[in-house]
Amino acid sequence: MPAKGVLVAVTADVVIAGGGVIGTAIAWRAAAAGLDVVLADPAQGDGASLVAAGMLAPVSEALFGEGALLRVNLLALARFPSFAAELEQVTGHRVGLRREGTLAVAYDAGDYAALTRLTAFRRSAGLEAEELDSRACRKLESFLTPDVHGGVLFPGDWSVDNRRYAAALREAAASAGVRVVRDRVTAVLTADGADGVGSAGVADGAGARVRGVALAEGGEIGADRVVVAAGSWSGAVHGLPAGLRSAVRPVKGQLLRLRHPAGLPPVLTHTIRATVRGADVYLVPRADGEVIVGATQEERGPDLTVTAGAVHDLLHDAMSVLPVTSELILAETCSGLRPGTPDNGPIVGEAGPGGLLLATGHYRNGILMSAATADAAVACLTGRAPAPEWEPFGPGRFLTGEGVP
Amino acid sequence: MPAKGVLVAVTADVVIAGGGVIGTAIAWRAAAAGLDVVLADPAQGDGASLVAAGMLAPVSEALFGEGALLRVNLLALARFPSFAAELEQVTGHRVGLRREGTLAVAYDAGDYAALTRLTAFRRSAGLEAEELDSRACRKLESFLTPDVHGGVLFPGDWSVDNRRYAAALREAAASAGVRVVRDRVTAVLTADGADGVGSAGVADGAGARVRGVALAEGGEIGADRVVVAAGSWSGAVHGLPAGLRSAVRPVKGQLLRLRHPAGLPPVLTHTIRATVRGADVYLVPRADGEVIVGATQEERGPDLTVTAGAVHDLLHDAMSVLPVTSELILAETCSGLRPGTPDNGPIVGEAGPGGLLLATGHYRNGILMSAATADAAVACLTGRAPAPEWEPFGPGRFLTGEGVP
């Protein structure tokens, strides 16, 4: 029931807050499953999804103690190719999936020792990894500096062109009937009696159910189910349980888009992940000759500036392992906000009032997890259970402090 | 007399080919002197004039063996303040002239030895220079690294905000009645009888006179006097004597525009010219908090790409002497083409057919020389002699090989 004086411009089965790859993938699959979907985003596709390298890297991203995250990442990777194939078929556009694998290289002996330890851990988890000396690394990538100490090939870590992928998702969603509202969701509205003007609170008690969302420009969208997929802005949505509102923080990442000048053949085939005297840098080649170099990880709140120091450090580290980088054109410098969580895991599942679903907090792996997250979300929306790999990543793990300010 | 079938859309006393600071300054002063002026440029103000640091630096630019260039640069500097003051008065806009001086710093002992030799030469030419140890340098600029070996203050080297200056010139020219044609001058046309269709040749013999210019889109502008001020594109204008067409070459310069983030006080007061292990870099502060970092000098023809290596090197050298540079926002990377000549001097004066005037080849000093060049050009256009400092820089010095292919 809408508040007095507020226009309910739109109603739908599901309203999705956030039009990055997560929200758009969910929108597409939910619409394909027969649901009437509205997606709300003030600038669809203008967030972290476009400032990404598109690495599909469950293996080289796996860290000690993150076994559950590795399992859900592997689920996501296994799902990605068929999802991308359907997306390409529906839209007629290539999304630039590359399966050459990722070559992790260590610049000095200390970097190599760290890489060796991590590789042993990954191999113990059953992941494929091939250790290579410096010469073997250069056989795979001839432009690598001979100074590289050694490396490891992870054949199971791929990449996708995140911008083509995001654009294809938008097109697929539109074709499936998803309607887009260019406005920001400010609050999840509930139908638990607190429906006066400005009602945005969540009683969080038994029986409360969502009835839609409020928009920044004053309108509302009526829906029985609401998906919050607003990335690092998720915490700005009123009406989420308090523990969830503080669980997602922005982690700034700066990256560079380089291009080959006319006449220079492609300088890379594999994704390169390099550790240069303890600093991590990656270089991801695209089919169209672009090379993405990333990325910083900065705890600076919602700051989106591109800084001289970050650009210098990225170029310096990239040139240290691949000197020919200096000849490439610096086509773009950009900055985005990853939605980080306290345990680096995503937040996918139902929480708070009935009908509320979260799909956020994907941190460094939003592109990778988008297909599997869409599956999980559509399962929830259609009354089925998501894959068991998602069980550790429900919103409930951040609700323990509920009621405490 | 126009060729058959070609529209003479415009006639004027003077047509100026090129709308950078040189062409626009000439246009303004010529119109102020009572001449009817048309300025032709396909993208006025979009050339090298905007990709500049705006250093007014006759002193720290002076090199061994360039005494004549130093003298004309000093003439240009002496003229600049009154020219800028009149420009500010006419337009009501500030152009950002800064007179704090330039601090040249040397990173290591080798850099310092080179700076000391150059300083002795400059002082022998009567130029003011104050040698400073590392501590004294940091008293002037507190953000300089203590690693700087030493420096020299050149109080006579200033700077101007080249973009504000160029915009003010455009406005002043328009106010003075200058008409702008947004098209490229392809040829100087002569009235020596060769006025058939496509006539663009210059007989270069006695009696030949200009009658206007041909434009890329097919029109003509009729005028008794033509000024070629097309910077590094001057050689593309047909109808110039052959020696002049090959005298100007593009010398690529890449530079960066940095900005202070909110909360950071200005990190610079003086222009810094640093030599970092043999590599030159400059940092030029603006009143609005911008800092320009430049510049590469590359012989790459008309290539305007911004390269990863150049951006890295500029940032690296800037951060070496002023570490706080890393905290600044990288607002823009850009690339321009300086009009270089074989002897690094400008080409200002009459040549070829009667009524043809050249004002080009200003290389690294176009902003500095713009006011004095306008004076010299207007003197030529009104039948007076330019200042004697211009005598060595006439077009005649490049005409010796005329007739030889």
Side-chain angles (χ1 to χ4, degrees):
Chain A
M1 184 164 54
K4 277 171 197 155
V6 174
L7 177 71
V8 178
V10 182
T11 60
D13 294 334
V14 185
V15 58
I16 298 174
V21 290
I22 299 292
T24 312
I26 294 170
W28 173 39
R29 300 317 304 161
L35 293 168
D36 180 26
V37 180
V38 170
L39 188 152
D41 193 309
Q44 193 188 0
D46 204 21
S49 297
L50 295 196
V51 185
M55 285 186 294
L56 307 173
V59 178
S60 44
E61 284 276 340
L63 297 177
F64 300 102
E66 293 184 348
L69 187 57
L70 175 59
R71 282 186 291 277
V72 81
N73 276 341
L74 288 171
L75 172 76
L77 185 74
R79 174 65 171 109
F80 202 92
S82 62
F83 186 88
E86 185 173 351
L87 187 59
E88 290 187 337
Q89 199 204 336
V90 166
T91 63
H93 299 308
R94 310 290 292 176
V95 300
L97 180 62
R98 295 189 67 147
R99 305 205 205 189
E100 288 90 347
T102 293
L103 177 61
V105 297
Y107 189 75
D108 67 18
D111 299 329
Y112 191 71
L115 177 59
T116 301
R117 285 194 299 276
L118 208 51
T119 303
F121 159 72
R122 288 164 178 169
R123 200 173 266 146
S124 75
L127 304 174
E128 196 179 346
E130 182 186 351
E131 278 154 326
L132 303 169
D133 64 16
S134 179
R135 183 179 300 254
C137 289
R138 277 178 288 132
K139 269 201 180 159
L140 287 183
E141 291 293 348
S142 58
F143 285 100
L144 278 175
T145 175
D147 294 341
V148 159
H149 195 91
V152 178
L153 179 65
F154 297 108
D157 278 0
W158 307 332
S159 72
V160 69
D161 185 329
N162 56 300
R163 292 190 177 182
R164 287 174 180 268
Y165 176 65
L169 282 174
R170 282 198 298 277
E171 192 172 318
S175 299
V178 172
R179 289 170 290 160
V180 173
V181 171
R182 294 222 173 265
D183 200 350
R184 186 170 59 84
V185 169
T186 55
V188 176
L189 303 173
T190 53
D192 57 354
D195 58 347
V197 173
S199 157
V202 171
D204 203 31
R209 273 204 67 86
V210 303
R211 61 175 175 82
V213 298
L215 299 171
E217 290 177 10
E220 290 184 1
I221 303 171
D224 288 339
R225 278 158 295 181
V226 172
V227 181
V228 174
S232 63
W233 302 101
S234 299
V237 178
H238 288 267
L240 298 192
L244 289 176
R245 292 198 62 192
S246 60
V248 182
R249 72 184 194 285
V251 181
K252 179 179 174 180
Q254 301 187 51
L255 58 73
L256 314 175
R257 306 185 91 83
L258 308 182
R259 278 207 326 265
H260 287 66
L264 188 67
V267 298
L268 269 189
T269 305
H270 304 77
T271 292
I272 300 287
R273 300 181 70 117
T275 310
V276 180
R277 299 190 190 95
D280 293 322
V281 67
Y282 53 74
L283 298 97
V284 184
R286 295 274 189 258
D288 61 4
E290 205 174 50
V291 176
I292 313 301
V293 176
T296 63
Q297 292 197 76
E298 303 168 68
E299 302 281 354
R300 294 173 69 115
D303 169 47
L304 274 169
T305 58
V306 171
T307 59
V311 173
H312 169 270
D313 292 352
L314 291 170
L315 290 173
H316 178 268
D317 292 343
M319 288 162 60
S320 296
V321 292
L322 199 79
V324 72
T325 303
S326 68
E327 302 299 316
L328 301 183
I329 296 165
L330 179 59
E332 186 183 340
T333 59
C334 47
S335 177
L337 300 174
R338 309 176 189 91
T341 64
D343 60 8
N344 295 338
I347 304 172
V348 175
E350 290 162 330
L356 176 62
L357 180 67
L358 280 94
T360 184
H362 290 78
Y363 193 36
R364 294 168 59 96
N365 291 306
I367 309 286
L368 167 62
M369 290 198 209
S370 54
T373 297
D375 288 350
V378 172
C380 293
L381 292 171
T382 57
R384 293 176 292 116
E389 287 86 347
W390 289 104
E391 194 275 325
F393 298 104
R397 71 194 197 277
F398 297 118
L399 293 178
T400 47
E402 205 64 7
V404 180
Chain B
M1 184 163 53
K4 277 171 197 155
V6 174
L7 177 70
V8 177
V10 182
T11 59
D13 294 333
V14 185
V15 58
I16 299 174
V21 290
I22 299 292
T24 312
I26 294 170
W28 173 38
R29 300 317 304 161
L35 294 168
D36 181 26
V37 180
V38 169
L39 188 152
D41 194 308
Q44 194 190 1
D46 205 21
S49 298
L50 296 195
V51 185
M55 285 187 293
L56 307 173
V59 179
S60 45
E61 284 277 339
L63 297 176
F64 299 102
E66 293 185 347
L69 187 56
L70 175 59
R71 282 187 291 278
V72 80
N73 275 341
L74 288 171
L75 172 77
L77 185 75
R79 174 67 171 109
F80 203 92
S82 61
F83 187 88
E86 185 173 351
L87 186 58
E88 291 187 337
Q89 199 204 338
V90 166
T91 62
H93 298 309
R94 309 291 290 176
V95 299
L97 180 62
R98 295 189 68 149
R99 306 206 205 186
E100 288 89 346
T102 292
L103 178 61
V105 298
Y107 190 75
D108 66 18
D111 298 327
Y112 192 71
L115 178 59
T116 301
R117 283 193 299 274
L118 209 50
T119 303
F121 160 71
R122 288 165 180 170
R123 199 173 266 145
S124 75
L127 304 174
E128 197 180 343
E130 182 185 351
E131 278 155 323
L132 302 169
D133 64 16
S134 180
R135 183 180 299 254
C137 289
R138 277 178 288 131
K139 268 200 181 162
L140 287 183
E141 291 293 348
S142 58
F143 284 100
L144 278 176
T145 176
D147 294 342
V148 159
H149 195 89
V152 178
L153 178 65
F154 296 107
D157 278 0
W158 308 332
S159 71
V160 69
D161 185 327
N162 56 302
R163 292 191 176 181
R164 288 173 179 268
Y165 177 64
L169 281 175
R170 282 198 297 277
E171 194 173 317
S175 299
V178 172
R179 289 169 289 160
V180 173
V181 170
R182 294 222 172 268
D183 200 349
R184 186 169 60 84
V185 169
T186 54
V188 176
L189 303 173
T190 52
D192 57 353
D195 59 348
V197 173
S199 155
V202 170
D204 202 31
R209 273 204 65 87
V210 303
R211 60 173 176 82
V213 298
L215 299 172
E217 290 177 11
E220 291 183 2
I221 303 172
D224 287 338
R225 278 157 295 180
V226 173
V227 181
V228 174
S232 63
W233 302 102
S234 300
V237 178
H238 289 267
L240 298 193
L244 289 175
R245 291 196 65 190
S246 60
V248 182
R249 73 186 192 283
V251 181
K252 179 178 174 181
Q254 300 188 50
L255 59 74
L256 314 175
R257 306 184 91 80
L258 308 181
R259 277 207 327 265
H260 286 67
L264 188 67
V267 298
L268 270 190
T269 305
H270 304 76
T271 291
I272 301 287
R273 300 181 70 118
T275 311
V276 180
R277 299 189 191 95
D280 292 322
V281 67
Y282 54 74
L283 298 97
V284 184
R286 295 275 189 257
D288 62 3
E290 206 175 49
V291 175
I292 313 302
V293 176
T296 64
Q297 292 196 76
E298 304 167 67
E299 302 281 352
R300 295 172 68 114
D303 169 45
L304 274 170
T305 58
V306 172
T307 59
V311 173
H312 169 270
D313 292 352
L314 291 171
L315 289 172
H316 177 268
D317 293 342
M319 287 162 59
S320 295
V321 291
L322 199 79
V324 72
T325 303
S326 69
E327 302 298 316
L328 300 183
I329 296 166
L330 179 59
E332 187 183 339
T333 60
C334 47
S335 177
L337 299 174
R338 308 177 190 91
T341 64
D343 59 10
N344 294 338
I347 303 173
V348 175
E350 289 161 330
L356 175 62
L357 179 66
L358 279 93
T360 185
H362 291 78
Y363 193 35
R364 295 168 58 96
N365 291 306
I367 308 287
L368 167 61
M369 290 199 209
S370 52
T373 298
D375 287 349
V378 173
C380 293
L381 292 171
T382 56
R384 291 177 293 117
E389 287 86 347
W390 288 105
E391 195 275 327
F393 298 104
R397 70 194 199 276
F398 296 117
L399 293 179
T400 47
E402 205 64 7
V404 180

